[in-house]
Amino acid sequence: MTIHTPTPEGGRIVEEPMGDALSKRYLAYALSTITNRALPDVRDGFKPVHRRIMYAMHQMRLNPQAAARKCAKVVGEVMGGYHPHGDASIYEALVRLAQDFAQRYPLVDGQGNFGNIDGDSAAAMRYTECKLTPAAVLLLEGIDQNAVDFRPTYDDQDEEPVVLPAGFPNLLANGSSGIAVGMATSIPPHNVGELIDACQLLLERPEATTAELVQIVPGPDFPTGGVSVEGHASILDAYETGRGGVRLRARWETEDLGRGVWRIIVTEMPYQVQKSRLIEGLADLIENKKAPLLGDVRDESAEDIRLILEPKNRTIEPEMLMESLFKLSDLEVRFPINMNVLDASGTPRVMGLKDCLRAFLDHRRVVLNRRSQWRIERVEKRLHLLEGLRIVFLNLDEVIRIVREEEQPKAVLIARFGLTEVQADFILDTRLRQLARLEEMTIEKEFNELSAELAALKALTSSEGKQWKAISKELEAVRKALISPRRTTIGEAVDSSAFVAPEAFIPREAITVILSERGWIRAAKGKVEDPSELKFKEGDSLGFLVPAFTTDKLLIGASDGRIFTIGADKLASGRGHGEPLRLMIDLDEKAEIINVVAHEPNAKLLVASKAGYGFVAPENDLLAQKRGGKQVLNGEMLAMLRIPSNPQGDHVAVIGENIKALIFPLAELPEMGRGKGVKLQNYKQGGLVDVAVFNAEAGPEWADGGGRRRNWPDWKDWLGKRAGAGRQGPRGMRKFR
């Protein structure tokens, strides 16, 4: 890297590789995002914006006993003094701190419209007011007593706290989430009573394991309640490693309406699920017939959640209905756990439950010692002044004489009684009425009390055991102030592998899948008796006609060697022209559809390419989960055939472009999930034209140029080994299908 000397104008030119310049600047940006925006501090659980809001409101004296102030005033104070970002982001953070459905222990007491669980946004900041809650006061307690370090604000005009004193483990109590560059965090909220009990266990036995802590903190406690159905082993692993997740379900009950009629009442929503969107999603399931057991959904919520779910008919079991909806909708969600935080040194780390609680306790010890030292300094200063006053009372007449008669009373007092300059100034500034006999007794009492307090403070700062006992007492007081019943119930673990697939709840109805030459697909009810009566867009015609059921999966083979999977229940109605197949799968523009079959479990397909290669593929291995399908055949696909099961197919017939035919046993083909396959027929020029699988007893058929079917009684004359050249086929033979 070459650095040129500054130009006369004061600038400079730096020459360095573009890659180095970009990497340095992007690294600086990433570091800033991680430490100043996305990850919370393990000690107080805050990101900078939340910490600055709390401190600004403290400076504005917006305690719980004070009158609320306009949020616009608070946002302006935060933006002007501490947080050099937009007002929208600051107000959004403030609103979240006030929402009781977002925060387990709200830190802002909001007055006005602060949004709701339906997803409605808060009113503008000029209409809403706010002040601190008692929980927020506990987090700020001691901040004016040198409990934490301060640093200059962004404009060097003021100071802001590096971290808050944090009277309770706010990181775990209210949780946090954020996305940085290359890392993210997701911490669920917990019950503060359980967290403090876990802290007390660590104070008693620092060697306590995470398994013992999980006996006290069995899982997250979300503000919106719900039922946690994650297994104990999974929760323990998440708390041990700091990574995992928890499945959360809505709380519901069955309401009996008499005469065998019932309905489901949902009373608690999963965390961070918007009720309005959930209702829209359930309505879409009903409209698209993807939830066949659900008849109707409506919202009767007022202050409490009351969501009504009505079954399709009374014969359905409530548990079956809810299991299907848990699988299909946001009535069940999985909240990820990724406890990625900044430790006391500002380094990003993934911590487990024990590490987070230990870091909080270590922070409380630092805060306790700093506050004690701050108090010691002030007590010593006051005792020093009281000692001067005691000397005055012992020599009151002489002091009065010196003050009245001497030109330099301060110097004389210092020389006569051995006072310090501070004591002399304090005596001279003392009002005469404070020298009464009653005041002497008050001063003596204060002196004795402060002396005892000083001795206790020095004993506290010199004994680690006493410090932990003091922290234990503080935590117990906080527990009494914030204790509340657990809202999220820890339910029985649900085995996800035992969940009934959504397809099981789709009514099994016979349909006919219609795919046109131009790729428009639809499903007609029942069987299409006369294909000639089907209507298509102008210039289009029938491509494939496949009998199936609404519960089937369709396997669609394309010429590029891929096989796609579509649920038959997702097809458009047969009344219109359907919808383009390319909207449902990522089919290449140059690729053509080779065949469409309804999937049969444990059945097999013969897949062949134009080059004359092929293999037998189990259908279970061909099902694709993505729109992009599954690459099965390496080469240009010519055929995708179902191997007959009744009677069982046992021979393969192939015909090439040279009109030579060959028949060989099906057993000579390997069974593969994907690949190129083996050679079916040998060609000097050209390739494969058609292939068929048949049963030896029934014999094969072939089609002439006019499409008429013909028997092939002497087919055994064409028997040979796979990869042979074959012999000239019967006169007029062109294809088998």
Side-chain angles (χ1 to χ4, degrees), residues 1-2 14-25:
M1 178 176 70
T2 303
V14 179
E15 292 183 359
E16 62 179 329
M18 178 63 75
D20 294 347
L22 288 176
S23 63
K24 288 179 184 178
R25 286 152 181 78

Side-chain angles (χ1 to χ4, degrees), residues 520-540:
W520 287 73
I521 192 168
R522 50 185 158 149
K525 290 185 178 180
K527 182 180 179 181
V528 175
E529 300 292 346
D530 187 1
S532 62
E533 295 183 357
L534 295 173
K535 295 181 180 180
F536 299 91
K537 289 179 176 287
E538 186 176 351
D540 202 358

Side-chain angles (χ1 to χ4, degrees), residues 103 125 276 382 391 551 605:
Q103 298 282 297
M125 67 182 81
S276 58
R382 179 62 180 171
I391 293 173
T551 54
L605 297 178

Side-chain angles (χ1 to χ4, degrees), residues 109-125:
D109 182 2
Q111 299 182 12
N113 176 15
F114 277 78
N116 54 38
I117 200 170
D118 276 335
D120 297 332
S121 58
M125 67 182 81

Side-chain angles (χ1 to χ4, degrees), residues 621-640:
D621 295 344
L622 303 181
L623 291 173
Q625 303 297 326
K626 299 180 180 180
R627 287 170 51 95
K630 181 175 287 189
Q631 189 71 41
V632 175
L633 183 65
N634 297 338
E636 188 175 356
M637 186 183 292
L638 173 82
M640 183 184 76

Side-chain angles (χ1 to χ4, degrees), residues 291-311:
L293 305 185
L294 182 62
D296 190 20
V297 56
R298 64 179 182 274
D299 186 13
E300 295 183 357
S301 304
E303 292 184 2
D304 298 328
I305 301 295
R306 183 177 170 85
L307 196 61
I308 309 297
L309 305 177
E310 295 186 351

Side-chain angles (χ1 to χ4, degrees), residues 381-627:
K381 183 178 179 181
R382 179 62 180 171
L383 284 173
H384 184 62
L385 298 176
L386 291 177
E387 285 177 356
L389 283 179
R390 293 174 76 192
I391 293 173
V392 167
F393 279 111
L394 291 175
N395 305 276
L396 185 57
D397 293 338
E398 179 64 15
V399 170
I400 293 174
R401 186 196 66 77
I402 292 172
V403 172
R404 291 180 62 186
E405 298 177 1
E406 297 293 339
E407 292 184 2
Q408 298 291 334
K410 178 177 177 181
V412 175
L413 285 174
I414 292 174
R416 176 72 177 80
F417 300 108
L419 301 177
T420 64
E421 188 172 343
V422 174
Q423 288 174 322
D425 286 335
F426 183 68
I427 291 169
L428 292 172
D429 292 338
T430 302
R431 295 180 180 179
L432 193 61
R433 66 182 178 185
Q434 289 181 281
L435 301 180
R437 181 67 184 171
L438 190 61
E439 286 297 324
E440 181 182 2
M441 297 173 61
T442 305
I443 290 170
E444 193 66 28
K445 181 182 178 182
E446 182 183 358
F447 183 85
N448 293 332
E449 290 176 351
L450 290 178
S451 297
E453 182 183 354
L454 181 62
L457 288 171
K458 288 187 174 180
L460 177 66
T461 55
S462 61
S463 171
E464 182 178 345
K466 289 184 177 180
Q467 292 167 16
W468 290 128
K469 285 184 180 179
I471 290 171
S472 177
K473 288 182 180 179
E474 290 177 353
L475 289 177
E476 190 57 36
V478 171
R479 187 183 189 280
K480 291 179 181 178
L482 295 181
I483 190 169
S484 63
R486 169 174 272 275
R487 298 180 186 176
T488 300
T489 304
I490 305 298
E492 295 183 4
V494 178
D495 183 7
S496 58
S497 63
F499 283 171
V500 182
E503 292 80 3
F505 301 104
I506 300 172
R508 182 178 171 84
E509 299 175 354
I511 58 172
T512 301
V513 178
I514 305 164
L515 180 62
S516 73
E517 289 286 351
R518 292 188 175 180
W520 287 73
I521 192 168
R522 50 185 158 149
K525 290 185 178 180
K527 182 180 179 181
V528 175
E529 300 292 346
D530 187 1
S532 62
E533 295 183 357
L534 295 173
K535 295 181 180 180
F536 299 91
K537 289 179 176 287
E538 186 176 351
D540 202 358
S541 60
L542 178 64
F544 297 92
L545 199 66
V546 183
F549 290 91
T550 51
T551 54
D552 286 341
K553 296 283 188 183
L554 300 178
L555 296 177
I556 301 173
S559 60
D560 59 2
R562 288 189 293 171
I563 294 181
F564 302 87
T565 305
I566 294 179
D569 61 301
K570 295 179 174 60
L571 300 181
S573 169
R575 295 179 181 177
H577 295 121
E579 58 182 292
L581 179 62
R582 294 180 187 273
L583 293 180
M584 307 176 73
I585 59 176
D586 292 336
L587 181 64
D588 190 88
E589 292 184 2
K590 297 180 180 179
E592 298 178 357
I593 301 300
I594 300 300
N595 199 4
V596 180
V597 298
H599 168 61
E600 290 183 13
N602 303 320
K604 297 178 182 180
L605 297 178
L606 185 147
V607 184
S609 67
K610 283 190 175 182
Y613 291 83
F615 58 89
V616 174
E619 284 192 30
N620 292 346
D621 295 344
L622 303 181
L623 291 173
Q625 303 297 326
K626 299 180 180 180
R627 287 170 51 95

Side-chain angles (χ1 to χ4, degrees), residues 104 188-190 220-225 228 246 248 271 335 486-488:
R104 182 63 179 84
H190 295 76
D221 186 22
F222 297 98
T224 53
S228 172
V246 57
L248 184 66
Y271 185 52
F335 189 91
R486 169 174 272 275
R487 298 180 186 176
T488 300

